[in-house]
mmCIF file with all atom_site columns, all heavy atoms in Angstrom:
data_model
loop_
_atom_site.group_PDB
_atom_site.id
_atom_site.type_symbol
_atom_site.label_atom_id
_atom_site.label_alt_id
_atom_site.label_comp_id
_atom_site.label_asym_id
_atom_site.label_entity_id
_atom_site.label_seq_id
_atom_site.pdbx_PDB_ins_code
_atom_site.Cartn_x
_atom_site.Cartn_y
_atom_site.Cartn_z
_atom_site.occupancy
_atom_site.B_iso_or_equiv
_atom_site.pdbx_formal_charge
_atom_site.auth_seq_id
_atom_site.auth_comp_id
_atom_site.auth_asym_id
_atom_site.auth_atom_id
_atom_site.pdbx_PDB_model_num
ATOM 1   N N   . LYS X 1 1  ? 25.277 -180.026 18.439 1.00 96.00 ? 1  LYS X N   1
ATOM 2   C CA  . LYS X 1 1  ? 25.116 -180.775 17.185 1.00 96.00 ? 1  LYS X CA  1
ATOM 3   C C   . LYS X 1 1  ? 25.684 -180.009 15.995 1.00 96.00 ? 1  LYS X C   1
ATOM 4   O O   . LYS X 1 1  ? 26.074 -180.610 14.988 1.00 96.00 ? 1  LYS X O   1
ATOM 5   C CB  . LYS X 1 1  ? 23.643 -181.103 16.939 1.00 96.00 ? 1  LYS X CB  1
ATOM 6   C CG  . LYS X 1 1  ? 22.730 -179.898 16.777 1.00 96.00 ? 1  LYS X CG  1
ATOM 7   C CD  . LYS X 1 1  ? 21.279 -180.322 16.559 1.00 96.00 ? 1  LYS X CD  1
ATOM 8   C CE  . LYS X 1 1  ? 20.345 -179.141 16.405 1.00 96.00 ? 1  LYS X CE  1
ATOM 9   N NZ  . LYS X 1 1  ? 20.654 -178.308 15.224 1.00 96.00 ? 1  LYS X NZ  1
ATOM 10  N N   . ASP X 1 2  ? 25.727 -178.685 16.070 1.00 96.00 ? 2  ASP X N   1
ATOM 11  C CA  . ASP X 1 2  ? 26.283 -177.884 14.974 1.00 96.00 ? 2  ASP X CA  1
ATOM 12  C C   . ASP X 1 2  ? 27.771 -177.585 15.159 1.00 96.00 ? 2  ASP X C   1
ATOM 13  O O   . ASP X 1 2  ? 28.340 -176.799 14.395 1.00 96.00 ? 2  ASP X O   1
ATOM 14  C CB  . ASP X 1 2  ? 25.505 -176.566 14.850 1.00 96.00 ? 2  ASP X CB  1
ATOM 15  C CG  . ASP X 1 2  ? 24.077 -176.792 14.389 1.00 96.00 ? 2  ASP X CG  1
ATOM 16  O OD1 . ASP X 1 2  ? 23.858 -177.727 13.607 1.00 96.00 ? 2  ASP X OD1 1
ATOM 17  O OD2 . ASP X 1 2  ? 23.192 -176.028 14.830 1.00 96.00 ? 2  ASP X OD2 1
ATOM 18  N N   . ARG X 1 3  ? 28.366 -178.145 16.176 1.00 95.00 ? 3  ARG X N   1
ATOM 19  C CA  . ARG X 1 3  ? 29.804 -178.073 16.439 1.00 95.00 ? 3  ARG X CA  1
ATOM 20  C C   . ARG X 1 3  ? 30.355 -176.663 16.336 1.00 95.00 ? 3  ARG X C   1
ATOM 21  O O   . ARG X 1 3  ? 29.946 -175.775 17.096 1.00 95.00 ? 3  ARG X O   1
ATOM 22  C CB  . ARG X 1 3  ? 30.569 -179.041 15.516 1.00 95.00 ? 3  ARG X CB  1
ATOM 23  C CG  . ARG X 1 3  ? 30.083 -180.474 15.570 1.00 95.00 ? 3  ARG X CG  1
ATOM 24  C CD  . ARG X 1 3  ? 30.261 -181.101 16.956 1.00 95.00 ? 3  ARG X CD  1
ATOM 25  N NE  . ARG X 1 3  ? 31.650 -181.290 17.304 1.00 95.00 ? 3  ARG X NE  1
ATOM 26  C CZ  . ARG X 1 3  ? 32.377 -182.359 16.987 1.00 95.00 ? 3  ARG X CZ  1
ATOM 27  N NH1 . ARG X 1 3  ? 31.819 -183.334 16.282 1.00 95.00 ? 3  ARG X NH1 1
ATOM 28  N NH2 . ARG X 1 3  ? 33.630 -182.464 17.374 1.00 95.00 ? 3  ARG X NH2 1
ATOM 29  N N   . ASP X 1 4  ? 31.256 -176.417 15.393 1.00 97.00 ? 4  ASP X N   1
ATOM 30  C CA  . ASP X 1 4  ? 32.004 -175.152 15.376 1.00 97.00 ? 4  ASP X CA  1
ATOM 31  C C   . ASP X 1 4  ? 31.160 -173.959 14.938 1.00 97.00 ? 4  ASP X C   1
ATOM 32  O O   . ASP X 1 4  ? 31.653 -172.828 14.954 1.00 97.00 ? 4  ASP X O   1
ATOM 33  C CB  . ASP X 1 4  ? 33.223 -175.262 14.469 1.00 97.00 ? 4  ASP X CB  1
ATOM 34  C CG  . ASP X 1 4  ? 32.862 -175.498 13.016 1.00 97.00 ? 4  ASP X CG  1
ATOM 35  O OD1 . ASP X 1 4  ? 32.103 -176.441 12.748 1.00 97.00 ? 4  ASP X OD1 1
ATOM 36  O OD2 . ASP X 1 4  ? 33.329 -174.733 12.150 1.00 97.00 ? 4  ASP X OD2 1
ATOM 37  N N   . LEU X 1 5  ? 29.921 -174.171 14.565 1.00 98.00 ? 5  LEU X N   1
ATOM 38  C CA  . LEU X 1 5  ? 29.074 -173.042 14.168 1.00 98.00 ? 5  LEU X CA  1
ATOM 39  C C   . LEU X 1 5  ? 28.510 -172.289 15.378 1.00 98.00 ? 5  LEU X C   1
ATOM 40  O O   . LEU X 1 5  ? 27.986 -171.177 15.231 1.00 98.00 ? 5  LEU X O   1
ATOM 41  C CB  . LEU X 1 5  ? 27.927 -173.531 13.289 1.00 98.00 ? 5  LEU X CB  1
ATOM 42  C CG  . LEU X 1 5  ? 28.337 -174.116 11.927 1.00 98.00 ? 5  LEU X CG  1
ATOM 43  C CD1 . LEU X 1 5  ? 27.103 -174.606 11.175 1.00 98.00 ? 5  LEU X CD1 1
ATOM 44  C CD2 . LEU X 1 5  ? 29.101 -173.090 11.098 1.00 98.00 ? 5  LEU X CD2 1
ATOM 45  N N   . VAL X 1 6  ? 28.656 -172.876 16.569 1.00 97.00 ? 6  VAL X N   1
ATOM 46  C CA  . VAL X 1 6  ? 28.075 -172.274 17.771 1.00 97.00 ? 6  VAL X CA  1
ATOM 47  C C   . VAL X 1 6  ? 29.203 -171.855 18.715 1.00 97.00 ? 6  VAL X C   1
ATOM 48  O O   . VAL X 1 6  ? 29.965 -172.703 19.190 1.00 97.00 ? 6  VAL X O   1
ATOM 49  C CB  . VAL X 1 6  ? 27.141 -173.275 18.481 1.00 97.00 ? 6  VAL X CB  1
ATOM 50  C CG1 . VAL X 1 6  ? 26.539 -172.636 19.731 1.00 97.00 ? 6  VAL X CG1 1
ATOM 51  C CG2 . VAL X 1 6  ? 26.050 -173.743 17.533 1.00 97.00 ? 6  VAL X CG2 1
ATOM 52  N N   . PRO X 1 7  ? 29.339 -170.562 19.017 1.00 98.00 ? 7  PRO X N   1
ATOM 53  C CA  . PRO X 1 7  ? 30.439 -170.113 19.881 1.00 98.00 ? 7  PRO X CA  1
ATOM 54  C C   . PRO X 1 7  ? 30.251 -170.579 21.317 1.00 98.00 ? 7  PRO X C   1
ATOM 55  O O   . PRO X 1 7  ? 29.123 -170.669 21.825 1.00 98.00 ? 7  PRO X O   1
ATOM 56  C CB  . PRO X 1 7  ? 30.362 -168.589 19.785 1.00 98.00 ? 7  PRO X CB  1
ATOM 57  C CG  . PRO X 1 7  ? 28.945 -168.297 19.439 1.00 98.00 ? 7  PRO X CG  1
ATOM 58  C CD  . PRO X 1 7  ? 28.501 -169.431 18.556 1.00 98.00 ? 7  PRO X CD  1
ATOM 59  N N   . SER X 1 8  ? 31.357 -170.860 21.969 1.00 97.00 ? 8  SER X N   1
ATOM 60  C CA  . SER X 1 8  ? 31.322 -171.268 23.368 1.00 97.00 ? 8  SER X CA  1
ATOM 61  C C   . SER X 1 8  ? 31.102 -170.049 24.258 1.00 97.00 ? 8  SER X C   1
ATOM 62  O O   . SER X 1 8  ? 31.609 -168.960 23.985 1.00 97.00 ? 8  SER X O   1
ATOM 63  C CB  . SER X 1 8  ? 32.635 -171.954 23.748 1.00 97.00 ? 8  SER X CB  1
ATOM 64  O OG  . SER X 1 8  ? 32.673 -172.207 25.136 1.00 97.00 ? 8  SER X OG  1
ATOM 65  N N   . GLN X 1 9  ? 30.368 -170.252 25.348 1.00 96.00 ? 9  GLN X N   1
ATOM 66  C CA  . GLN X 1 9  ? 30.139 -169.200 26.339 1.00 96.00 ? 9  GLN X CA  1
ATOM 67  C C   . GLN X 1 9  ? 30.986 -169.423 27.590 1.00 96.00 ? 9  GLN X C   1
ATOM 68  O O   . GLN X 1 9  ? 30.871 -168.669 28.558 1.00 96.00 ? 9  GLN X O   1
ATOM 69  C CB  . GLN X 1 9  ? 28.654 -169.155 26.714 1.00 96.00 ? 9  GLN X CB  1
ATOM 70  C CG  . GLN X 1 9  ? 27.730 -168.874 25.548 1.00 96.00 ? 9  GLN X CG  1
ATOM 71  C CD  . GLN X 1 9  ? 28.074 -167.570 24.839 1.00 96.00 ? 9  GLN X CD  1
ATOM 72  O OE1 . GLN X 1 9  ? 28.298 -166.544 25.481 1.00 96.00 ? 9  GLN X OE1 1
ATOM 73  N NE2 . GLN X 1 9  ? 28.126 -167.613 23.499 1.00 96.00 ? 9  GLN X NE2 1
ATOM 74  N N   . SER X 1 10 ? 31.845 -170.431 27.551 1.00 96.00 ? 10 SER X N   1
ATOM 75  C CA  . SER X 1 10 ? 32.696 -170.752 28.702 1.00 96.00 ? 10 SER X CA  1
ATOM 76  C C   . SER X 1 10 ? 34.087 -170.169 28.513 1.00 96.00 ? 10 SER X C   1
ATOM 77  O O   . SER X 1 10 ? 34.591 -170.069 27.391 1.00 96.00 ? 10 SER X O   1
ATOM 78  C CB  . SER X 1 10 ? 32.796 -172.270 28.875 1.00 96.00 ? 10 SER X CB  1
ATOM 79  O OG  . SER X 1 10 ? 31.512 -172.838 29.028 1.00 96.00 ? 10 SER X OG  1
ATOM 80  N N   . GLU X 1 11 ? 34.717 -169.806 29.634 1.00 97.00 ? 11 GLU X N   1
ATOM 81  C CA  . GLU X 1 11 ? 36.093 -169.320 29.581 1.00 97.00 ? 11 GLU X CA  1
ATOM 82  C C   . GLU X 1 11 ? 37.010 -170.442 29.098 1.00 97.00 ? 11 GLU X C   1
ATOM 83  O O   . GLU X 1 11 ? 36.905 -171.587 29.549 1.00 97.00 ? 11 GLU X O   1
ATOM 84  C CB  . GLU X 1 11 ? 36.545 -168.847 30.959 1.00 97.00 ? 11 GLU X CB  1
ATOM 85  C CG  . GLU X 1 11 ? 35.876 -167.570 31.429 1.00 97.00 ? 11 GLU X CG  1
ATOM 86  C CD  . GLU X 1 11 ? 36.496 -166.342 30.782 1.00 97.00 ? 11 GLU X CD  1
ATOM 87  O OE1 . GLU X 1 11 ? 37.719 -166.337 30.546 1.00 97.00 ? 11 GLU X OE1 1
ATOM 88  O OE2 . GLU X 1 11 ? 35.748 -165.380 30.507 1.00 97.00 ? 11 GLU X OE2 1
ATOM 89  N N   . ALA X 1 12 ? 37.907 -170.094 28.194 1.00 98.00 ? 12 ALA X N   1
ATOM 90  C CA  . ALA X 1 12 ? 38.899 -171.050 27.691 1.00 98.00 ? 12 ALA X CA  1
ATOM 91  C C   . ALA X 1 12 ? 40.276 -170.419 27.862 1.00 98.00 ? 12 ALA X C   1
ATOM 92  O O   . ALA X 1 12 ? 40.704 -169.594 27.051 1.00 98.00 ? 12 ALA X O   1
ATOM 93  C CB  . ALA X 1 12 ? 38.631 -171.388 26.230 1.00 98.00 ? 12 ALA X CB  1
ATOM 94  N N   . ASN X 1 13 ? 40.955 -170.814 28.944 1.00 98.00 ? 13 ASN X N   1
ATOM 95  C CA  . ASN X 1 13 ? 42.252 -170.220 29.286 1.00 98.00 ? 13 ASN X CA  1
ATOM 96  C C   . ASN X 1 13 ? 43.378 -171.241 29.234 1.00 98.00 ? 13 ASN X C   1
ATOM 97  O O   . ASN X 1 13 ? 44.393 -171.097 29.918 1.00 98.00 ? 13 ASN X O   1
ATOM 98  C CB  . ASN X 1 13 ? 42.185 -169.600 30.686 1.00 98.00 ? 13 ASN X CB  1
ATOM 99  C CG  . ASN X 1 13 ? 41.188 -168.461 30.756 1.00 98.00 ? 13 ASN X CG  1
ATOM 100 O OD1 . ASN X 1 13 ? 40.980 -167.743 29.786 1.00 98.00 ? 13 ASN X OD1 1
ATOM 101 N ND2 . ASN X 1 13 ? 40.545 -168.305 31.918 1.00 98.00 ? 13 ASN X ND2 1
ATOM 102 N N   . GLY X 1 14 ? 43.210 -172.285 28.408 1.00 98.00 ? 14 GLY X N   1
ATOM 103 C CA  . GLY X 1 14 ? 44.185 -173.368 28.398 1.00 98.00 ? 14 GLY X CA  1
ATOM 104 C C   . GLY X 1 14 ? 45.392 -173.163 27.509 1.00 98.00 ? 14 GLY X C   1
ATOM 105 O O   . GLY X 1 14 ? 46.363 -173.913 27.588 1.00 98.00 ? 14 GLY X O   1
ATOM 106 N N   . ALA X 1 15 ? 45.355 -172.137 26.635 1.00 98.00 ? 15 ALA X N   1
ATOM 107 C CA  . ALA X 1 15 ? 46.526 -171.882 25.784 1.00 98.00 ? 15 ALA X CA  1
ATOM 108 C C   . ALA X 1 15 ? 47.680 -171.378 26.636 1.00 98.00 ? 15 ALA X C   1
ATOM 109 O O   . ALA X 1 15 ? 47.464 -170.664 27.629 1.00 98.00 ? 15 ALA X O   1
ATOM 110 C CB  . ALA X 1 15 ? 46.179 -170.866 24.704 1.00 98.00 ? 15 ALA X CB  1
ATOM 111 N N   . PRO X 1 16 ? 48.920 -171.708 26.305 1.00 98.00 ? 16 PRO X N   1
ATOM 112 C CA  . PRO X 1 16 ? 50.050 -171.162 27.056 1.00 98.00 ? 16 PRO X CA  1
ATOM 113 C C   . PRO X 1 16 ? 50.048 -169.639 26.996 1.00 98.00 ? 16 PRO X C   1
ATOM 114 O O   . PRO X 1 16 ? 49.546 -169.030 26.046 1.00 98.00 ? 16 PRO X O   1
ATOM 115 C CB  . PRO X 1 16 ? 51.268 -171.732 26.332 1.00 98.00 ? 16 PRO X CB  1
ATOM 116 C CG  . PRO X 1 16 ? 50.769 -172.925 25.595 1.00 98.00 ? 16 PRO X CG  1
ATOM 117 C CD  . PRO X 1 16 ? 49.352 -172.598 25.222 1.00 98.00 ? 16 PRO X CD  1
ATOM 118 N N   . LEU X 1 17 ? 50.624 -169.026 28.004 1.00 98.00 ? 17 LEU X N   1
ATOM 119 C CA  . LEU X 1 17 ? 50.780 -167.581 28.034 1.00 98.00 ? 17 LEU X CA  1
ATOM 120 C C   . LEU X 1 17 ? 52.145 -167.194 27.488 1.00 98.00 ? 17 LEU X C   1
ATOM 121 O O   . LEU X 1 17 ? 53.123 -167.943 27.611 1.00 98.00 ? 17 LEU X O   1
ATOM 122 C CB  . LEU X 1 17 ? 50.650 -167.070 29.476 1.00 98.00 ? 17 LEU X CB  1
ATOM 123 C CG  . LEU X 1 17 ? 49.255 -167.162 30.101 1.00 98.00 ? 17 LEU X CG  1
ATOM 124 C CD1 . LEU X 1 17 ? 49.335 -167.028 31.610 1.00 98.00 ? 17 LEU X CD1 1
ATOM 125 C CD2 . LEU X 1 17 ? 48.334 -166.099 29.510 1.00 98.00 ? 17 LEU X CD2 1
ATOM 126 N N   . GLY X 1 18 ? 52.213 -166.028 26.866 1.00 98.00 ? 18 GLY X N   1
ATOM 127 C CA  . GLY X 1 18 ? 53.500 -165.483 26.494 1.00 98.00 ? 18 GLY X CA  1
ATOM 128 C C   . GLY X 1 18 ? 54.245 -164.984 27.722 1.00 98.00 ? 18 GLY X C   1
ATOM 129 O O   . GLY X 1 18 ? 53.652 -164.723 28.771 1.00 98.00 ? 18 GLY X O   1
ATOM 130 N N   . VAL X 1 19 ? 55.564 -164.874 27.601 1.00 98.00 ? 19 VAL X N   1
ATOM 131 C CA  . VAL X 1 19 ? 56.398 -164.370 28.692 1.00 98.00 ? 19 VAL X CA  1
ATOM 132 C C   . VAL X 1 19 ? 57.254 -163.236 28.151 1.00 98.00 ? 19 VAL X C   1
ATOM 133 O O   . VAL X 1 19 ? 57.944 -163.397 27.135 1.00 98.00 ? 19 VAL X O   1
ATOM 134 C CB  . VAL X 1 19 ? 57.304 -165.482 29.268 1.00 98.00 ? 19 VAL X CB  1
ATOM 135 C CG1 . VAL X 1 19 ? 58.176 -164.928 30.403 1.00 98.00 ? 19 VAL X CG1 1
ATOM 136 C CG2 . VAL X 1 19 ? 56.465 -166.658 29.761 1.00 98.00 ? 19 VAL X CG2 1
ATOM 137 N N   . VAL X 1 20 ? 57.204 -162.086 28.804 1.00 98.00 ? 20 VAL X N   1
ATOM 138 C CA  . VAL X 1 20 ? 58.047 -160.957 28.406 1.00 98.00 ? 20 VAL X CA  1
ATOM 139 C C   . VAL X 1 20 ? 59.506 -161.325 28.656 1.00 98.00 ? 20 VAL X C   1
ATOM 140 O O   . VAL X 1 20 ? 59.856 -161.845 29.721 1.00 98.00 ? 20 VAL X O   1
ATOM 141 C CB  . VAL X 1 20 ? 57.671 -159.690 29.189 1.00 98.00 ? 20 VAL X CB  1
ATOM 142 C CG1 . VAL X 1 20 ? 58.623 -158.541 28.845 1.00 98.00 ? 20 VAL X CG1 1
ATOM 143 C CG2 . VAL X 1 20 ? 56.229 -159.298 28.895 1.00 98.00 ? 20 VAL X CG2 1
ATOM 144 N N   . CYS X 1 21 ? 60.372 -161.074 27.671 1.00 98.00 ? 21 CYS X N   1
ATOM 145 C CA  . CYS X 1 21 ? 61.777 -161.467 27.759 1.00 98.00 ? 21 CYS X CA  1
ATOM 146 C C   . CYS X 1 21 ? 62.698 -160.250 27.701 1.00 98.00 ? 21 CYS X C   1
ATOM 147 O O   . CYS X 1 21 ? 62.389 -159.251 27.057 1.00 98.00 ? 21 CYS X O   1
ATOM 148 C CB  . CYS X 1 21 ? 62.137 -162.409 26.606 1.00 98.00 ? 21 CYS X CB  1
ATOM 149 S SG  . CYS X 1 21 ? 61.344 -164.017 26.691 1.00 98.00 ? 21 CYS X SG  1
ATOM 150 N N   . ASP X 1 22 ? 63.832 -160.385 28.351 1.00 96.00 ? 22 ASP X N   1
ATOM 151 C CA  . ASP X 1 22 ? 64.940 -159.444 28.190 1.00 96.00 ? 22 ASP X CA  1
ATOM 152 C C   . ASP X 1 22 ? 65.880 -160.062 27.170 1.00 96.00 ? 22 ASP X C   1
ATOM 153 O O   . ASP X 1 22 ? 66.434 -161.142 27.398 1.00 96.00 ? 22 ASP X O   1
ATOM 154 C CB  . ASP X 1 22 ? 65.647 -159.230 29.524 1.00 96.00 ? 22 ASP X CB  1
ATOM 155 C CG  . ASP X 1 22 ? 66.775 -158.198 29.440 1.00 96.00 ? 22 ASP X CG  1
ATOM 156 O OD1 . ASP X 1 22 ? 67.104 -157.769 28.314 1.00 96.00 ? 22 ASP X OD1 1
ATOM 157 O OD2 . ASP X 1 22 ? 67.323 -157.838 30.492 1.00 96.00 ? 22 ASP X OD2 1
ATOM 158 N N   . SER X 1 23 ? 66.077 -159.414 26.039 1.00 93.00 ? 23 SER X N   1
ATOM 159 C CA  . SER X 1 23 ? 66.838 -160.017 24.942 1.00 93.00 ? 23 SER X CA  1
ATOM 160 C C   . SER X 1 23 ? 68.346 -159.967 25.147 1.00 93.00 ? 23 SER X C   1
ATOM 161 O O   . SER X 1 23 ? 69.092 -160.557 24.360 1.00 93.00 ? 23 SER X O   1
ATOM 162 C CB  . SER X 1 23 ? 66.490 -159.326 23.620 1.00 93.00 ? 23 SER X CB  1
ATOM 163 O OG  . SER X 1 23 ? 66.852 -157.953 23.672 1.00 93.00 ? 23 SER X OG  1
ATOM 164 N N   . HIS X 1 24 ? 68.812 -159.286 26.188 1.00 95.00 ? 24 HIS X N   1
ATOM 165 C CA  . HIS X 1 24 ? 70.265 -159.157 26.366 1.00 95.00 ? 24 HIS X CA  1
ATOM 166 C C   . HIS X 1 24 ? 70.908 -160.511 26.645 1.00 95.00 ? 24 HIS X C   1
ATOM 167 O O   . HIS X 1 24 ? 70.411 -161.306 27.456 1.00 95.00 ? 24 HIS X O   1
ATOM 168 C CB  . HIS X 1 24 ? 70.588 -158.205 27.511 1.00 95.00 ? 24 HIS X CB  1
ATOM 169 C CG  . HIS X 1 24 ? 72.067 -158.121 27.793 1.00 95.00 ? 24 HIS X CG  1
ATOM 170 N ND1 . HIS X 1 24 ? 72.957 -157.463 26.966 1.00 95.00 ? 24 HIS X ND1 1
ATOM 171 C CD2 . HIS X 1 24 ? 72.807 -158.650 28.803 1.00 95.00 ? 24 HIS X CD2 1
ATOM 172 C CE1 . HIS X 1 24 ? 74.171 -157.574 27.454 1.00 95.00 ? 24 HIS X CE1 1
ATOM 173 N NE2 . HIS X 1 24 ? 74.116 -158.283 28.567 1.00 95.00 ? 24 HIS X NE2 1
#
């Protein structure tokens, strides 16, 4: 009911991951 005032205790791994690049 308090929405964003309460932190989640669940894993949230849905953001994309970065990828290490070779710039050459």
Side-chain angles (χ1 to χ4, degrees):
K1 62 181 180 63
D2 293 327
R3 306 297 292 273
D4 64 307
L5 295 178
V6 180
S8 173
Q9 300 303 314
S10 303
E11 290 281 325
N13 297 328
L17 291 163
V19 180
V20 176
C21 292
D22 183 352
S23 62
H24 176 73

